[in-house]
Amino acid sequence: MKGYLKRNSADDFKRAVNSSSNIVIVTHTNPDGDALGSVVALSSYLARQGKTTTIVIPNPYPKNLKFLDPRGDVLIHTRRRVAAERAIKFADLLIALDFNQLKRIDELEPIVRASASKKILVDHHPQPEMEAFDLVISNTEVSSTCELLFWLIREIEGGSVSSIPDISAQSLYVGMMTDTNNFSNSVEAGTFLMSYELLLHGVDKETLQLKVFAGFTEERMRLMGHSLLNKMKILPELGAGYIVLTKEELERYKFAEGDTEGFVNMPLNIFGITISALFTEKEEHIRVSLRSSDNFSVNQFSRRYFNGAGHERAAGGRLFMAVEDVGKYFEESLRKELEEN
Ligand code: 5GP
Ligand code: MN
C-alpha cells in the first residue's frame, strides 16, 4: 500500500530512531483516544525494537482510556513536572504525535523548543509548523494519527503489521475508532484496510468498543441530557447549533476529563444543521470545540475567531471572555464568517 507516506519518510524515520538512545514521545493537551493511542502504540512498537522511550503528555487523559496505560507509565506533566521536563531536556529524539503546532502542548512548549533533540512530527492536521521539526510526516487524507502511524510502521515492517506487539495493534485501533467517532467521520478506504489488518492481527474490536464507548458515569449521561434539553441553542437560519456549559453546571454533574467528548456532534443530527459548537468554561479560558458536516471550514473559523485550529470539519480553540458573552460572540462571528465566504 503506497501513497500515504512520502518516498523517504519511513527510511528517514527509521534512521533517526536507530541513531537515538533517549527517545521521548509527546502528544497534545487534553489527549483524546488518537493522541494516547498513537503514543502508546509507537512506544510499545519501539520497545519491541529494543528502544526504550518515555511518553510525556501535558495533562491527564480521560479515565476510560486508562486501559491503554495500565501501569501508569505515561508521564503527565501537570502531575510529575520535574520528571517530565527532565525527560524532554535530555532527549536526543523527540517524536510529536497528533498535533502540529507546539502551542498545542501549552507549558511544555518552551521546554520542547529549548531541547536540543532532533524533532519528528507524525500528524494528520493541516498546516503543520514546519520550522519546529527536522522531519515532518504529515497527511490529512487519513482518519487519524493512528492510521498514519499504522502506514508508517507497516512500511518499516516491509508491508505487514503481523508481528507488531498486541498493545500497539490495540492502541492503533482505539485511536482510529475514536477519531472517526466510531466509523462515522473521516473514514477513508485505507481506514477499512487498516481495520482489516488489525482485526487479522487479533484486535478484539467488541471489547475495545465497550471499554471506550460504554465506560461513562451516570453523571456524564445526565450532563448530556441537560445539555440537549436545556442548553442546546439552534439557529435554523444559519444552519448552526451550539451548547455552552458553565463551570457551575460541569461541577453539578461531577465533570471528569473526557465527559463532554462527543457532545459537539449532537446538533449535527438535526436536519438542516451543518455547523456545531460546544463551549465549556474552564479555570482560565473557555474551551471551544467546532464541527461541520459540509464545506464550511471550522479550521479557518477557529483560526479567525477562536484562537485555535484543527481539521476542515473538526477544530478547537480557546476564548478568553465571560461565559455569558460566548453565545452572542459565536453568533456574531458565524454571521461574519458566512457573509465573507
Ligand atoms: P476537539 O473539538 O475534539 O477538542 O478537537 C477537534 C480537533 O481540533 C482536533 O483534531 C484537535 O487536535 C483540534 N484542536 C482542538 N483544540 C485545539 C486548539 O486549541 N488549537 C489547535 N490548533 N487545534 C485544536
Ligand atoms: Mn487525531
Side-chain angles (χ1 to χ4, degrees):
M1 214 23 229
K2 281 272 175 192
Y4 289 96
L5 302 167
K6 291 216 182 84
R7 199 141 57 84
N8 297 322
S9 295
D11 287 340
D12 292 346
F13 184 87
K14 203 165 134 184
R15 204 171 312 115
V17 166
N18 287 341
S19 61
S20 307
S21 40
N22 287 318
I23 304 176
V24 169
I25 307 175
V26 289
T27 189
H28 60 79
T29 304
N30 302 324
D32 53 12
D34 194 28
L36 194 68
S38 58
V39 295
V40 170
L42 181 61
S43 169
S44 312
Y45 173 67
L46 294 181
R48 174 71 60 91
Q49 321 297 307
K51 291 284 175 186
T52 310
T53 61
T54 308
I55 298 173
V56 178
I57 64 176
N59 66 344
Y61 49 77
K63 268 209 196 86
N64 66 336
L65 298 177
K66 173 71 189 165
F67 71 99
L68 293 178
D69 176 34
R71 293 190 309 265
D73 295 332
V74 172
L75 267 182
I76 303 171
H77 183 232
T78 51
R79 295 194 180 152
R80 296 173 66 192
R81 280 180 190 272
V82 177
E85 293 179 14
R86 258 183 78 87
I88 294 174
K89 191 167 169 198
F90 294 110
D92 54 6
L93 175 62
L94 188 132
I95 305 175
L97 301 178
D98 200 39
F99 68 100
N100 66 10
Q101 302 170 301
L102 290 183
K103 71 171 194 197
R104 288 279 282 138
I105 53 175
D106 292 314
E107 290 173 294
L108 287 178
E109 174 181 358
I111 298 150
V112 166
R113 287 202 193 275
S115 151
S117 62
K118 188 179 172 105
K119 299 179 185 69
I120 299 181
L121 175 71
V122 181
D123 177 65
H124 70 131
H125 295 88
Q127 298 153 287
E129 183 182 344
M130 299 295 288
E131 328 69 73
F133 302 95
D134 302 288
L135 171 63
V136 171
I137 300 177
S138 164
N139 186 338
T140 57
E141 312 280 297
V142 290
S143 61
S144 51
T145 296
C146 277
E147 186 182 330
L148 186 56
L149 190 58
F150 167 85
W151 296 117
L152 178 64
I153 291 175
R154 190 178 185 274
E155 177 84 13
I156 295 171
E157 290 289 295
S160 163
V161 293
S162 60
S163 58
I164 68 172
D166 291 350
I167 179 80
S168 295
Q170 202 183 85
S171 305
L172 290 172
Y173 191 88
V174 166
M176 175 278 297
M177 183 177 78
T178 54
D179 250 29
T180 59
N181 190 17
N182 211 4
F183 291 91
S184 23
N185 319 318
S186 324
V187 176
E188 308 285 337
T191 316
F192 290 106
L193 199 52
M194 165 188 182
S195 310
Y196 169 79
E197 294 196 5
L198 290 178
L199 293 188
L200 286 185
H201 184 287
V203 162
D204 177 354
K205 69 177 185 344
E206 278 85 12
T207 299
L208 294 180
Q209 232 154 13
L210 279 177
K211 282 185 173 164
V212 174
F213 297 118
F216 295 113
T217 58
E218 176 182 343
E219 285 86 359
R220 188 262 185 183
M221 297 305 285
R222 303 278 175 207
L223 177 63
M224 184 189 258
H226 170 67
S227 303
L228 286 176
L229 186 62
N230 308 319
K231 301 307 302 276
M232 183 171 67
K233 183 142 188 228
I234 298 300
L235 310 167
E237 73 287 6
L238 302 180
Y242 68 94
I243 298 167
V244 181
L245 292 173
T246 66
K247 224 161 59 183
E248 184 277 316
E249 288 166 310
L250 295 169
E251 278 160 17
R252 199 190 317 155
Y253 293 95
K254 302 197 173 58
F255 173 83
E257 207 46 66
D259 275 359
T260 51
E261 204 66 50
F263 286 17
V264 66
N265 295 308
M266 296 188 304
L268 298 178
N269 294 341
I270 300 170
F271 180 78
I273 301 303
T274 58
I275 299 168
S276 167
L278 171 73
F279 300 94
T280 43
E281 185 186 12
K282 302 283 165 190
E283 284 306 323
E284 310 206 327
H285 65 271
I286 312 273
R287 185 159 163 213
V288 182
S289 234
L290 300 163
R291 296 291 186 273
S292 114
S293 58
D294 63 12
N295 294 330
F296 181 80
S297 168
V298 287
N299 173 39
Q300 176 182 297
F301 190 39
S302 185
R303 284 171 191 265
R304 286 196 176 153
Y305 296 100
F306 300 100
N307 306 301
H311 307 278
E312 295 308 280
R313 292 178 168 203
R318 282 171 193 197
L319 280 178
F320 303 89
M321 60 173 64
V323 71
E324 303 76 42
D325 300 334
V326 166
K328 185 161 174 272
Y329 179 79
F330 171 71
E331 294 185 24
E332 284 172 2
S333 311
L334 182 57
R335 280 202 172 82
K336 270 193 260 172
E337 185 72 4
L338 290 170
E339 270 163 27
E340 284 166 20
N341 287 284

